[in-house]
Each structure stands twice: as structure tokens, then as C-alpha cells.
């Protein structure tokens, strides 16, 4: 099953209860985009959020941070959710 665990300005966050994957659904898409993975597990998702909160440079260049978090929590080099979180 799935559970909506959060809604923000940009994304709805969905937890897949069978796998613990956290997915994001872009609010501004045209409805044709499927939810995409932002973390392999619920725990990794919150670790990524904590890292973003503590390490982010306000109004700074956070591209390397976004890539680092994305690789650590979901194994994907480029993830628009993490880019958005640290922006």
C-alpha cells in the first residue's frame, strides 16, 4: 500500500509501506509524470532531510550537497527533489 506522509509547496511525499521507499509527486507536473523515488527507506529519507537542514548554505551553491544526499539515500546521482530541498 501507499500512505501520503507529507505535502509541501512542490511535492506530495508518499511512503510505499511494502518496501519503505519514499516517493515524491511533483505538484506542478501536467499529470503525466509518475511519482519518483527520493529515498530507499523511510529512515534514509529523514537522514537526508537532516543533512540538508544542517549542511545547506542559504542562498549558496548547494549542488554538491544535493548530489551527495541523493546518492546516499536513493543511489541516484541527480534527483530534482533533493535539488529543490537544498536550494
Amino acid at each position: 500500500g501507499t500512505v501520503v506522509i507529507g505535502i509541501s509547496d512542490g511535492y506530495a511525499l508518499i511512503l510505499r509501506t511494502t518496501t519503505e521507499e519514499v516517493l515524491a509527486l511533483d505538484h506542478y507536473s501536467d499529470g503525466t509524470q509518475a511519482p519518483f523515488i527520493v529515498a530507499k527507506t523511510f529512515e534514509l529519507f529523514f537522514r537526508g532531510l537532516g543533512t540538508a537542514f544542517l549542511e545547506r548554505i542559504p542562498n549558496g551553491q548547494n549542488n554538491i550537497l544535493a548530489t551527495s544526499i541523493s546518492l546516499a539515500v536513493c543511489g541516484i546521482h541527480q534527483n530534482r527533489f533533493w535539488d529543490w530541498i537544498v536550494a
Side-chain angles (χ1 to χ4, degrees), residues 47-66 68-69 85-87:
R47 286 182 180 207
L49 287 178
T51 300
F53 179 76
L54 293 172
E55 299 291 329
R56 176 182 175 274
I57 301 168
N59 301 316
Q61 292 294 330
N62 292 297
N63 301 9
I64 294 171
L65 176 61
S68 175
I69 293 170
I85 286 292
V86 300

Side-chain angles (χ1 to χ4, degrees), residues 9-57:
D9 292 343
Y11 296 94
L13 298 168
I14 302 162
L15 173 65
R16 267 195 194 140
T17 58
T18 54
T19 63
E20 274 198 62
E21 290 176 322
V22 177
L23 309 168
L25 180 61
D26 188 343
H27 285 303
Y28 302 108
S29 71
D30 59 6
T32 60
Q33 291 182 340
F36 60 94
I37 189 167
V38 295
K40 291 179 182 178
T41 67
F42 192 64
E43 179 183 352
L44 287 173
F45 174 71
F46 276 98
R47 286 182 180 207
L49 287 178
T51 300
F53 179 76
L54 293 172
E55 299 291 329
R56 176 182 175 274
I57 301 168

